[in-house]
Amino acid sequence: MNVEVFSERAVIHAALADPHRLAIVDQLTWSDRSPSSLASAIGLGSNLLAHHLAILERAGVVERTTSAGDGRRRYVRLVSDAIASLADPAAHLVARHVLFVCTANSARSQLAAAVWNARHEVPASSAGTHPAPAVRPGAVRAAARAGLDLRAARTRSIEDVSEHPDLVITVCDVAHEELHPLPDEATILHWSIADPATSIASNAYDVALRAVTARIDTLAPNVRPCRRARSTHP
């Protein structure tokens, strides 16, 4: 754990833990403002505003600039990276290959791998703990509606995986609970996605596709490709 990074974020959270300071940040979200403009907008006296601005400055949330016109005037603005860091996990994953796993490898894992490959430079594939004979037509049609092509996709067993994935994501509770530790010390994540094959809803595959897409959109920006060659063991 990178304690320094977490400490920096904790300082920012502490600085924001006040209604007036949150109001200041809101006022600065779309526009830089002079202190007098901020005081008027929030309804604070100059001394109290100076107190709150000093706390936000020490935390690195805001900074003051001198006007390029009237050098006597100053403006306050947000330090954009400081706010963005609150929503950015301190930890990132590094991967060469991503493997999505469900039980039958006939819908959820296939859809997830297709979505991932359309969004990320790290390649992804899929497999099942008990693979079905073929990808379900409902998954193929849902993928097509989203601009993804699963017509050539084939199911396979996790025993047949040869890519040495270092990030494994189970998208099925059953598969997650019966998945044995993989070689190469792969990182294993789990997303509990309902099985569309057991649903009577006409849009079940579209719902599953939206669920995996939302999870991928959150995770993908935090996965970085590994540039180092994989080490070999004698």
Side-chain angles (χ1 to χ4, degrees):
M1 183 177 73
N2 189 333
V3 175
E4 183 177 350
V5 172
F6 282 107
S7 297
E8 292 172 357
R9 293 170 66 192
V11 168
I12 296 172
H13 277 287
L16 295 176
D18 179 275
H20 291 115
R21 294 196 283 275
L22 284 176
I24 291 172
V25 170
D26 278 359
Q27 288 292 324
L28 297 175
T29 298
W30 303 116
S31 173
D32 300 346
R33 289 182 177 273
S34 66
S36 60
S37 172
L38 273 176
S40 175
I42 301 172
L44 287 177
S46 58
N47 288 342
L48 195 51
L49 177 69
H51 164 73
H52 290 303
L53 286 179
I55 292 174
L56 291 171
E57 278 187 298
R58 285 198 297 271
V61 175
V62 304
E63 60 186 1
R64 303 189 202 215
T65 62
T66 300
S67 168
D70 183 346
R72 295 169 299 178
R73 297 176 65 90
R74 304 196 74 186
Y75 292 97
V76 184
R77 67 185 180 192
L78 281 181
V79 178
S80 57
D81 288 349
I83 300 299
S85 71
L86 298 180
D88 187 22
H92 290 271
L93 297 171
V94 177
R96 299 178 181 83
H97 191 94
V98 180
L99 177 68
F100 290 94
V101 180
C102 66
T103 306
N105 189 214
S106 61
R108 291 165 290 181
S109 59
Q110 295 278 0
L111 291 168
V115 172
W116 180 277
N117 284 325
R119 283 165 164 71
H120 208 287
E121 62 181 299
V122 175
S125 60
S126 65
T129 51
H130 304 285
V135 178
R136 291 184 178 276
V140 176
R141 290 193 293 269
R145 287 190 287 272
L148 304 168
D149 189 355
L150 283 183
R151 289 175 298 175
R154 299 290 182 267
T155 61
R156 66 171 175 170
S157 167
I158 195 168
E159 303 295 333
D160 298 327
V161 171
S162 60
E163 295 93 343
H164 303 289
D166 36 23
L167 175 57
V168 177
I169 303 173
T170 53
V171 291
C172 157
D173 293 340
V174 175
H176 178 70
E177 291 160 13
E178 65 182 10
L179 188 67
H180 299 295
L182 295 174
D184 301 330
E185 298 181 346
T187 297
I188 299 178
L189 307 179
H190 176 54
W191 299 342
S192 182
I193 307 293
D195 186 357
T198 63
S199 173
I200 61 173
S202 59
N203 64 342
Y205 289 92
D206 297 289
V207 171
L209 177 57
R210 287 196 294 271
V212 297
T213 300
R215 302 298 291 264
I216 288 171
D217 284 344
T218 299
L219 175 67
N222 299 298
V223 176
R224 296 170 179 170
C226 182
R227 305 299 185 191
R228 292 182 292 105
R230 192 184 299 274
S231 61
T232 57
H233 302 284

